[in-house]
Amino acid sequence: TDQSTTPGFWYLATDDWERARQRFVTTLQQERARGDLSSEAELLTRLGEVSAWFGDWPAARRLAKEAATAARELGEEGAYQPSERLLLQLDVFEGRLDQATAVALAEAERFERLGHRLATASYLSAATLARASSGDYPGVLETTERAAAQLLSIGLVEPLGRLDPAPERA
């Protein structure tokens, strides 16, 4: 059977949250049955994200913490962990805006010093969410611009933003 997580990401991209959840649960179960824990942190994070979108924040937090533990057990402590970003997003959803902003900015600066542009942009995104939620619109612009610069520096751009304008008709 196909064990790829790719369909799960397709389902996320099309807002088919239940099918995404089913795909990630099935993949996690298959990998655990084989004794392969290399994707456990990622799969638990994805399941946490789906739980957050369903509004089940306690489940999302539990899954994100399990993902962080799984990453540590694989020796990935200190590396970029999407589960940590998810925990910050949950802090924002639950109203801990100042704390989430401070942690997200500190992590963005840490990863920027390490040269990890994608992680930097990810944490800047979390800071932007917290700032938007608290009404700090100048802060939103600042973190959005910084995140965009990080993404642009590694060649990630909005695909639709690259389209040429429609040709003028005579």
Side-chain angles (χ1 to χ4, degrees):
T1 60
D2 177 21
Q3 297 173 1
S4 168
T5 56
T6 302
F9 292 107
W10 293 336
Y11 300 141
L12 289 178
T14 59
D15 295 334
D16 192 343
W17 299 100
E18 185 54 42
R19 287 180 77 186
R21 179 194 330 240
Q22 291 169 3
R23 184 59 176 217
F24 295 137
V25 165
T26 299
T27 304
L28 181 61
Q29 289 170 341
Q30 290 170 340
E31 290 188 4
R32 283 177 170 169
R34 285 194 324 268
D36 179 1
L37 304 179
S38 61
S39 298
E40 186 174 39
E42 177 187 355
L43 290 165
L44 289 167
T45 299
R46 298 300 169 215
L47 287 167
E49 290 169 345
V50 171
S51 292
W53 279 107
F54 275 117
D56 189 349
W57 298 345
R61 186 170 295 281
R62 179 183 49 78
L63 288 160
K65 287 181 178 181
E66 285 181 39
T69 298
R72 276 192 303 278
E73 289 173 356
L74 286 175
E76 297 174 353
E77 193 162 2
Y80 169 61
Q81 295 302 324
S83 60
E84 299 293 336
R85 186 203 66 239
L86 175 57
L87 288 168
L88 287 173
Q89 290 171 329
L90 291 166
D91 285 344
V92 171
F93 298 162
E94 294 170 350
R96 290 182 290 281
L97 304 178
D98 291 339
Q99 173 187 334
T101 301
V103 172
L105 290 173
E107 286 297 292
E109 289 174 18
R110 179 172 78 90
F111 281 107
E112 190 169 30
R113 283 190 305 274
L114 294 171
H116 194 315
R117 293 180 182 107
L118 191 56
T120 302
S122 180
Y123 279 106
L124 288 169
S125 169
T128 299
L129 175 65
R131 284 176 160 179
S133 297
S134 67
D136 177 9
Y137 303 116
V140 167
L141 291 175
E142 186 264 331
T143 50
T144 300
E145 288 173 1
R146 285 178 57 199
Q150 292 292 323
L151 296 174
L152 187 59
S153 74
I154 57 176
L156 289 177
V157 294
E158 169 58 49
L160 295 178
R162 299 182 74 188
L163 296 177
D164 293 329
E168 291 186 31
R169 295 185 181 195

